[in-house]
Structures are given as C-alpha cells and as structure tokens.
Amino acid sequence: MNKSRFKVGAISAITGVISTLMVGLTASPASSATPECNTGRITTGVSGTPSGRYLYLPAYNSSLYHCWMAYGTRGAEVEALQGAINHCHNSVPNLLVDGIYGDDTRAAVRAIQTKAGIKADGEYGPDTYGVMSFPAYRIVDNGFSGTCV
C-alpha cells in the first residue's frame, strides 16, 4: 500500500469521526433530547380546557406534546403553533398560518420566550410549550372560542 494514500485515508477517517462528534456536541439540548414535532393534534384532555372546547397542539406521533421544532419545519404542527401565537400571544394576529416555520414564526417564538424569561432561541420545545397558552376551539363549529388555555 502506498504510504501517502494511507495517510490521506487515515486523516479523512479521523476528520469524519471528529466532525460527527462535533455535530453531536453542538445540537441544541431541546432537539437532542426531545422528538421532533410531526403533527398537529386535537385534544380535550388538557387541564383547564372548557367544556365543549378542544385544543389544537403541536405533537409527536399524535400523543406527545413535549416535542421540538425550529426554523425549516413544515406541516400541521407549525400551523398549530402559528394559530396559538395569533390567538393567544399577539394583540394583533398577523402571523401567516402557512405551516412553514420561517423567519416570522421564529421571531414570534423568540418574543414569547423573552417575555416568559426563558432561553430565547426561537425554537419551540418543552420549555416554550410550558409558557405558552393555546386557543380553545368550539367543538360545534371549530371556531376560536376567545379563550386561551
């Protein structure tokens, strides 16, 4: 075997291992320990939800509400978050409910985090879920009831 090829291969392998380890070390705590939200979930089982109302929450596999999402996430889970921001956290609902976690959604989440005194990284995770209110929708017609839980 050619010694110079061996050295290049060894250096490449070591660089790959170091890169992999660095990615693991730089992942955010919320994203590394919490599953990524992958759906929106309708529930009546959250404490404080008024009778005849339901909440639409970001979730993981339709049952776990302590999930994580951030810039670039797309889907019903983001729509649930955007609806909550508009109804319960903006005095003037102006966030486009498009299911895309973009710049505006990240800035709105960061504002909620700052107001609540938690780490303001713009990512939605268990800490942000814990400080947010979510809109209660009427079961009869799916309209916003004017109540946040």
Side-chain angles (χ1 to χ4, degrees):
M1 177 181 262
N2 185 333
K3 285 185 177 183
S4 63
R5 270 211 253 158
F6 177 78
K7 286 179 184 177
V8 170
I11 291 170
S12 295
I14 291 169
T15 303
V17 169
I18 291 171
S19 296
T20 302
L21 291 173
M22 292 305 291
V23 168
L25 293 174
T26 59
S28 71
S31 64
S32 62
T34 307
E36 187 170 357
C37 303
N38 61 6
T39 190
R41 166 103 163 112
I42 293 174
T43 184
T44 57
V46 174
S47 177
T49 305
S51 178
R53 308 288 188 264
Y54 68 88
L55 304 181
Y56 184 53
L57 303 172
Y60 170 74
N61 286 346
S62 299
S63 62
L64 181 64
Y65 303 112
H66 293 279
C67 56
W68 169 87
M69 62 182 147
Y71 187 86
T73 304
R74 293 173 175 259
E77 62 276 22
V78 179
E79 289 178 3
L81 174 64
Q82 291 168 331
I85 291 168
N86 275 348
H87 289 301
C88 303
H89 296 278
N90 275 341
S91 57
V92 179
N94 59 358
L95 188 61
L96 180 63
V97 180
D98 60 1
I100 301 170
Y101 203 121
D103 292 328
D104 293 342
T105 302
R106 181 171 47 191
V109 169
R110 192 174 286 132
I112 291 166
Q113 293 167 329
T114 299
K115 185 175 180 180
I118 63 173
K119 181 179 176 184
D121 58 7
E123 296 181 359
Y124 174 90
D127 291 342
T128 305
Y129 169 80
V131 299
M132 283 189 65
S133 296
F134 290 87
Y137 297 98
R138 294 182 297 269
I139 291 173
V140 175
D141 64 0
N142 296 323
F144 174 52
S145 68
T147 303
C148 293
V149 177

